[in-house]
């Protein structure tokens, strides 16, 4: 491990310990790391979006080596890419939010992004999350028969699984139907739907806990292997 | 007109994107609009960063509670932005170094910290008082056991295949593939219908909260 990497590891270890110190109580070390994290994250996204969104979609088409403006100056030709100026202007309107007297100008940029986002969401959600999920459910067969060397067999496992899946989706959807009071058959089905949803929430919770635990293990491994062990090696003690 | 024209802008932008799905000839126009969208999104993130900067600057200027930490925030923000925009964000850059040794450790430790709070919240909230709560508790425990080696270690090698349904691995797979899929599928269908109706409300000008106050 070279000197710069070891220096970085020490900084990373210090910040890791600063954040873990919150387990004791809120303290200046935690606050230092918390504010630094927010600042660094904001800076990260500004730089990341500059290079990945603004450069390829605004700066390069207009001012790049073969951009629309150099072409206009060099060859006197109007280029369709000049329309990209509109995107820049819409973006700049967003900054008017900071000036109360002309804050209304920011509505143009916001309206464009909200309207286009709504259009995108309309198609994406309707197709991927609604139609495909319904399609995935209705094409399940509650009776599954499989072929093997000895002939045709009724597949109990797959049949029960498919039947439960269909019952689960329908009953959970019934639970989300609030236009009629949940009584009688509707109430019973909604009750079954809640049970399916509860198992689903429990599973999601279990997965989340395990994901966080694995992150914690990762941080502990970093402190022991990358920080303490590498420092001891650098000092010639290991 | 300060509200009407933005509403028309939102309608036209959204409808072109929806129509493009059915009218492929609109693909070029929609593609161009989506590039513009990315530019506007980049500026929106800039607005958020400016706002963060302004809030913390005011805090420092007014010497309000915890103001010295706001200086740390401002320094971090400027350092990352200047280094990233000035010297690039590729591998081996200073930006990459700052990401690896500042941002990544802090981010993963923040999320790792949640392990403790989730465990403590679960200890307080997970009581098998009702059928619903019991189902949630049992499903969570089985999934957690199925995820770790200890969940399968206790199953001896001679365990009969006919009793495989009593092992955490088997139960976890069934919970994830059947019950979790059913629940998540219903949530996805319900949520997507909500998104679609909200999108329609925005495009038709019924939902106008994004325009702010008059």
């Amino acid at each position: 491990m070279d000197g710069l990497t070891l220096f970085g590891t020490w900084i990373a270890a210090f910040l890791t310990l600063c954040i873990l110190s919150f387990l004791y109580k809120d303290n200046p070390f935690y606050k230092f790391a918390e504010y630094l994290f927010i600042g660094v994250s904001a800076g990260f996204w500004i730089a990341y979006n500059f290079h990945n969104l603004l450069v390829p979609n605004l700066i390069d088409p207009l001012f790049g080596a073969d951009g629309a403006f150099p072409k206009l100056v060099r060859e006197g030709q109007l280029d369709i890419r000049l329309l990209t100026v509109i995107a820049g202007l819409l973006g700049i309107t967003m900054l008017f939010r900071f000036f109360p007297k002309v804050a209304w100008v920011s509505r143009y940029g916001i309206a464009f992004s909200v309207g286009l986002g709504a259009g995108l969401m309309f198609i994406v959600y309707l197709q991927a999350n609604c139609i495909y999920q319904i399609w995935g459910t209705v094409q399940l067969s509650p009776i599954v028969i499989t072929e093997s060397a000895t002939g045709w067999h009724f597949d109990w496992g797959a049949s029960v699984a498919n039947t439960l899946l269909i019952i689960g989706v329908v009953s959970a959807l019934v639970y989300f139907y609030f236009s009629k009071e949940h009584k009688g058959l509707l109430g019973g089905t909604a009750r079954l739907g809640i049970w399916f949803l509860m198992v689903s929430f429990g599973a999601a919770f279990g997965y989340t806990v395990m994901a966080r635990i694995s992150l914690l293990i990762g941080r502990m491994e970093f402190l022991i292997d990358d920080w303490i062990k590498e420092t001891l090696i650098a000092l010639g003690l290991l | 007109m300060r509200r009407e024209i933005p509403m028309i802008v939102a309608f036209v932008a959204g409808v072109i994107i929806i129509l493009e799905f059915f009218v492929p000839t609109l693909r070029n126009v929609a593609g161009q609009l989506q590039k513009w969208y990315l530019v506007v999104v980049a500026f929106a993130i800039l607005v958020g960063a400016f706002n963060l900067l302004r809030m913390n600057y005011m805090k420092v200027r007014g010497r309000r509670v915890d103001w010295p930490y706001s200086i740390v925030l401002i320094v971090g923000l400027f350092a990352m932005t200047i280094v990233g925009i000035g010297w690039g964000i590729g591998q081996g850059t200073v930006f990459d170094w700052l990401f690896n040794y500042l941002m990544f450790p802090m981010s993963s430790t923040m999320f790792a910290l949640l392990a403790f709070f989730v465990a403590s919240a679960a200890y307080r909230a997970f009581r098998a008082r009702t059928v619903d709560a019991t189902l949630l508790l049992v499903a969570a425990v089985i999934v957690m056991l199925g995820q770790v080696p200890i969940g399968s270690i206790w199953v001896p090698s001679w365990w009969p295949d006919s009793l495989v349904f009593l092992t955490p691995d088997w139960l976890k797979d069934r919970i994830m593939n059947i019950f979790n899929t059913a629940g998540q599928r219903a949530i996805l269908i319900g949520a997507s219908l909500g998104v679609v109706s909200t999108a329609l409300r925005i495009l038709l000008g019924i939902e106008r909260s994004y325009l702010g106050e008059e």
Side-chain angles (χ1 to χ4, degrees):
Chain A
M1 191 180 270
D2 61 81
L4 190 64
T5 310
L6 191 63
F7 175 63
T9 306
W10 267 81
I11 292 176
F14 170 71
L15 293 170
T16 301
L17 292 173
C18 280
I19 292 173
L20 286 176
S21 71
F22 187 74
L23 290 172
Y24 169 60
K25 66 175 185 180
D26 199 4
N27 63 76
F29 289 105
Y30 173 75
K31 277 195 180 132
F32 170 80
E34 185 189 26
Y35 277 72
L36 183 66
F37 177 53
I38 297 168
V40 165
S41 299
F44 172 85
W45 287 111
I46 293 172
Y48 183 85
N49 286 321
F50 175 79
H51 287 287
N52 290 297
L53 299 183
L54 283 183
V55 170
N57 296 306
L58 181 70
I59 297 170
D60 275 352
L62 290 179
F63 307 106
D66 188 35
F69 277 120
K71 206 172 177 183
L72 183 67
V73 173
R74 207 171 48 231
E75 299 163 23
Q77 280 185 4
L78 286 174
D79 194 304
I80 188 84
R81 288 175 299 173
L82 282 172
L83 286 174
T84 311
V85 170
I86 300 172
L89 290 174
L90 281 170
I92 289 168
T93 62
M94 306 279 272
L95 303 175
F96 279 75
R97 281 200 80 79
F98 296 111
F99 309 102
K101 281 187 180 170
V102 284
W104 60 271
V105 178
S106 67
R107 284 178 190 156
Y108 290 99
I110 294 170
F112 176 77
S113 59
V114 169
L116 201 135
L120 276 176
M121 291 297 115
F122 184 91
I123 292 294
V124 171
Y125 275 79
L126 199 59
Q127 194 182 24
N129 286 3
C130 192
I131 294 172
Y132 283 174
Q133 297 299 332
I134 292 172
W135 176 240
T137 309
V138 296
Q139 68 174 353
L140 289 173
S141 171
I143 298 166
V144 181
I145 294 169
T146 51
E147 191 183 5
S148 69
T150 52
W152 297 90
H153 294 284
F154 180 70
D155 189 336
W156 276 99
S159 300
V160 170
N162 284 357
T163 308
L164 280 173
L165 197 54
I166 295 165
I167 292 171
V169 174
V170 173
S171 58
L173 276 174
V174 166
Y175 170 70
F176 288 123
Y177 180 71
F178 298 115
S179 300
K180 201 168 183 289
E181 198 178 348
H182 287 181
K183 280 198 306 194
L185 179 65
L186 194 73
T189 314
R191 189 85 213 127
L192 185 65
I194 293 176
W195 290 345
F196 270 91
L197 287 170
M198 282 299 154
V199 175
S200 182
F201 292 145
F205 179 83
Y207 248 89
T208 309
V209 171
M210 295 319 289
R212 299 287 181 263
I213 295 282
S214 77
L215 272 174
L216 185 66
I217 293 168
R219 293 324 295 157
M220 291 303 132
E221 275 181 354
F222 163 76
L223 287 175
I224 295 164
D225 290 343
D226 293 358
W227 181 46
I228 297 174
K229 190 178 160 195
E230 289 298 330
T231 304
L232 291 175
I233 289 171
L235 291 171
L237 296 170
L238 263 183
Chain B
M1 292 306 277
R2 287 180 181 182
R3 293 174 76 85
E4 282 75 11
I5 295 176
M7 274 165 57
I8 293 168
V9 170
F11 176 78
V12 172
V15 166
I16 288 175
I17 295 297
I18 294 172
L19 281 181
E20 183 254 342
F21 187 71
F22 304 100
V23 188
T25 45
L26 283 172
R27 192 153 291 161
N28 283 340
V29 181
Q32 196 59 46
L33 284 182
Q34 286 182 33
K35 283 184 179 174
W36 292 8
Y37 177 68
L38 295 176
V39 173
V40 178
V41 165
F43 274 96
I45 288 163
L46 211 58
V47 169
F50 274 147
N51 207 26
L52 181 71
L53 201 61
R54 196 178 60 154
M55 298 288 284
N56 281 278
Y57 170 70
M58 304 283 264
K59 205 167 155 184
V60 173
R61 206 174 65 168
R63 295 286 188 272
R64 279 187 256 152
V65 186
D66 289 341
W67 67 267
Y69 302 111
S70 290
I71 297 175
V72 175
L73 185 148
I74 293 168
V75 170
L77 193 151
F78 273 114
M80 207 70 176
T81 308
I82 293 167
V83 159
I85 292 176
W87 288 275
I89 58 172
Q91 265 196 327
T93 56
V94 182
F95 183 85
D96 187 43
W97 193 90
L98 289 173
F99 174 80
N100 285 330
Y101 294 110
L102 257 71
M103 194 174 153
F104 174 71
M106 286 193 285
S107 164
S108 51
T109 315
M110 280 282 183
F111 283 106
L113 206 60
L114 287 180
F116 293 97
F117 297 110
V118 167
S120 124
Y123 178 74
R124 275 175 282 152
F126 270 20
R127 299 283 158 86
R129 287 183 185 134
T130 59
V131 178
D132 301 353
T134 310
L135 282 171
L136 192 128
L137 175 70
V138 171
V141 170
I142 291 172
V143 168
M144 284 190 273
L145 274 177
Q147 284 286 95
V148 290
I150 202 168
S152 50
I153 280 172
W154 69 269
V155 182
S157 54
W158 49 262
W159 192 263
D161 282 346
S162 55
L163 294 178
V164 73
F165 60 86
L166 289 177
T167 59
D169 267 356
W170 190 92
L171 287 169
K172 185 208 85 179
D173 285 345
R174 295 308 174 280
I175 285 176
M176 293 310 293
N177 295 337
I178 301 171
F179 295 93
N180 186 50
T181 305
Q184 293 298 329
R185 208 170 254 187
I187 291 169
L188 278 177
I189 293 169
S192 62
L193 289 175
V195 170
V196 166
S197 60
T198 306
L200 271 180
R201 283 170 61 87
I202 290 170
L203 295 180
L204 297 175
I206 302 165
E207 172 65 54
R208 303 174 189 184
S209 55
Y210 67 92
L211 293 172
E213 288 171 16
E214 195 64 61

